[in-house]
């Protein structure tokens, strides 16, 4: 964690590195879209979040827009960037996701995250505990009752993702843990132990998007955007925003779950990975735990999930998470993921969801990328 590091330092470093990696200058960028979930509560900055966060970067002064969509803020920014390019309004767009969550007041992040529900309907504006871990724990208990999944299955997800994180030089948690370590760790909310829960953290990630003809002219390595879909929940719905959004993305890309080589999913808590696997149809209903038991989602498995370490190990600076997922997919599809590289990876999917409304997440974004 970087208590003394400011949001502008994180965002500017990510933006400048992305431009350098793409081999372009700030003058090539027609628009910057900045994803951030909670700066107003965490740092006090409202209104001009993008402009202040990037004021020390090379893109300072370029046209900017700020996007807030809970934990899906950066992936939603990516969606808007893709639409801006598809409309031919811009040739090159920079997406930056960043969040500064740590501070000397350790309760501040918890209070900010607690606002990602309908606060008018909430019983209290002062959370008694980790609101979203309570939500994930309730979902885990229901899932275990319905499918026969066990606490050991949840621990296996955490152990897998911490192993992947140990191979990722930018992961927040790089220490491997065994299934027994996870099961024996401090309880947060039954059945979740500490390693089954994502940590708060600071971070930023950035992505350069451009139109295909511009990419060919620049002759720089990149990946293709096959699909970018966003979805939203409403009160009283079936909690199906993730599968609905995934179906829209599959339709855009003209492919299905069997065509995927890897996934990055929103494992804010370990059981979420099992649920999301089924929602993305990479596992049959009730078979999410079987994927983990059979090693299918491990590095070297049939469909590796969260090779970056996911939110459990890479960390979850909420406004940056969606962009970080897409950076991981891009590195995998470009063959530069180092020790966690998935051989021959050609198509990757990222699922990024946030908030809570109705019976599931409030916001969801599903993105599918492919190697050139």
């Amino acid at each position: 964690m970087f208590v003394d590091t400011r949001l502008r330092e994180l965002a500017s470093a990510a933006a400048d590195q992305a431009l350098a990696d793409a081999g372009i200058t700030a003058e090539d960028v027609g628009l910057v879209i900045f994803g951030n979930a909670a700066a107003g509560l965490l740092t006090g900055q409202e209104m001009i979040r993008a402009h202040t966060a990037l004021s020390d970067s090379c893109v300072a002064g370029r046209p900017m827009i700020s996007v807030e969509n809970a934990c899906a803020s950066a992936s939603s920014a990516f969606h808007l960037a893709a639409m801006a390019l598809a409309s031919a309004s811009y040739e090159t767009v920079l997406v930056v996701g960043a969040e500064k969550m740590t501070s000397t007041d350790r309760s501040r992040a918890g209070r900010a995250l607690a606002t990602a529900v309908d606060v008018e309907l909430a019983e209290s504006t002062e959370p008694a505990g980790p609101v979203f871990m309570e939500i994930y724990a309730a979902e885990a208990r229901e899932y275990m009752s319905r499918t026969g999944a066990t606490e050991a299955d949840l621990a296996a997800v955490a152990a897998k993702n911490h192993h992947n994180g140990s191979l990722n030089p930018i992961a927040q948690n790089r220490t491997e843990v065994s299934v027994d370590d996870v099961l024996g760790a401090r309880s947060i909310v039954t059945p979740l132990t500490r390693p089954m829960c994502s940590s708060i953290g600071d971070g930023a990630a950035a992505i350069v998007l451009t139109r295909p003809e511009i990419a060919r002219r620049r002759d720089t390595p990149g990946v293709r955007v096959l699909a970018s879909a966003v979805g939203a929940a409403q009160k009283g719905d079936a909690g199906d925003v993730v599968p609905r959004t995934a179906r829209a993305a599959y339709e855009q890309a003209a492919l299905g779950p069997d065509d995927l080589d890897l996934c990055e999913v929103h494992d804010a808590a370990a059981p979420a990975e099992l649920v999301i696997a089924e929602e993305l149809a990479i596992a049959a209903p009730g078979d999410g735990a079987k994927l983990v038991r059979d090693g299918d989602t491990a590095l070297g498995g049939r469909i590796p999930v969260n090779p970056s370490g996911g939110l459990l190990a890479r960390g979850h600076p909420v406004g940056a998470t969606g962009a970080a997922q897409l950076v991981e997919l891009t590195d995998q599809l470009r063959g530069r993921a180092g020790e966690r590289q998935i051989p021959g990876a050609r198509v990757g999917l990222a699922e990024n969801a946030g908030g809570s409304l109705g019976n599931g997440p409030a916001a969801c974004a599903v993105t599918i990328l492919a190697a050139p």
Side-chain angles (χ1 to χ4, degrees):
M1 295 187 290
F2 309 96
V3 174
D4 296 328
T5 304
R6 297 178 299 171
L7 180 65
R8 68 184 63 216
E9 296 172 75
L10 297 166
S12 295
D16 292 353
Q17 289 175 28
L19 264 61
D21 181 68
I24 64 174
T25 67
E27 287 68 33
D28 296 314
V29 176
L31 179 66
V32 179
I33 307 182
F34 179 67
N36 175 271
L41 293 168
L42 293 170
T43 70
Q45 181 64 63
E46 284 284 14
M47 303 290 187
I48 52 171
R49 296 186 194 183
H51 306 76
T52 54
L54 294 165
S55 61
D56 294 335
S57 75
C58 63
V59 294
R62 305 304 295 168
M64 294 183 182
I65 297 172
S66 299
V67 173
E68 185 277 301
N69 201 18
C71 300
S73 292
S75 51
S76 299
F78 183 93
H79 178 74
L80 295 179
M83 289 197 300
L85 294 172
S87 72
S89 298
Y90 297 93
E91 292 187 347
T92 301
V93 180
L94 174 68
V95 172
V96 182
E99 203 75 71
K100 169 66 180 175
M101 299 183 72
T102 62
S103 73
T104 54
D105 180 357
R106 295 177 62 86
S107 67
R108 183 179 294 172
R111 292 197 302 271
L113 291 171
T115 66
V117 301
D118 190 334
V119 296
E120 289 189 359
L121 300 181
E123 294 181 2
S124 171
T125 57
E126 289 295 328
V131 172
F132 275 87
M133 290 308 135
E134 295 278 2
I135 292 171
Y136 282 120
E139 291 177 350
R141 293 190 295 268
E142 188 279 331
Y143 180 79
M144 293 164 68
S145 175
R146 174 167 50 85
T147 67
T150 67
E151 292 183 19
D153 294 320
L154 309 186
V157 172
K160 169 185 72 71
N161 290 353
H162 279 79
H163 167 71
N164 295 352
S166 75
L167 306 176
N168 186 349
I170 65 169
Q172 180 178 352
N173 300 310
R174 299 191 62 200
T175 301
E176 291 201 57
V177 293
S178 69
V179 169
D180 287 341
D181 292 334
V182 177
L183 291 173
R186 176 171 60 94
S187 176
I188 302 300
V189 185
T190 303
L192 304 180
T193 64
R194 182 63 191 87
M196 297 181 192
C197 306
S198 60
S199 303
I200 67 166
D202 305 336
I207 307 156
V208 174
L209 291 88
T210 193
R211 293 164 60 186
E213 63 272 22
I214 305 298
R216 287 192 293 268
R217 192 165 70 220
R218 290 178 181 154
D219 194 27
T220 54
V223 301
R224 294 175 293 142
V225 180
L226 298 187
S228 175
V230 296
Q234 61 181 333
K235 291 187 298 181
D237 70 8
D240 62 345
V241 63
V242 174
R244 284 191 284 109
T245 310
R247 287 194 294 270
Y250 288 139
E251 184 175 348
Q252 284 183 33
L255 48 72
D258 290 341
D259 298 304
L260 302 175
D261 296 309
L262 73 152
C263 295
E264 284 283 319
V265 306
H266 197 88
D267 62 324
E273 182 173 310
L274 305 181
V275 174
I276 295 165
E278 297 178 24
E279 292 176 324
L280 297 177
I282 62 175
D287 281 353
K290 185 176 185 298
L291 278 184
V292 178
R293 293 172 193 162
D294 294 346
D296 288 340
T297 55
L299 295 177
R302 177 178 63 83
I303 176 69
V305 175
N306 288 328
S308 69
L311 283 61
L312 295 180
R314 187 191 60 237
H316 185 30
V318 291
T321 290
Q325 290 179 323
L326 297 174
V327 169
E328 175 67 19
L329 291 188
T330 299
D331 283 343
Q332 290 283 351
L333 297 172
R334 291 175 64 179
R336 60 179 196 179
E339 294 180 85
R340 64 189 188 282
Q341 179 64 50
I342 298 164
R346 300 292 300 172
V347 180
L349 177 149
E351 178 272 343
N352 183 207
S356 179
L357 187 65
N359 296 306
C364 179
V366 175
T367 310
I368 301 176
L369 305 181

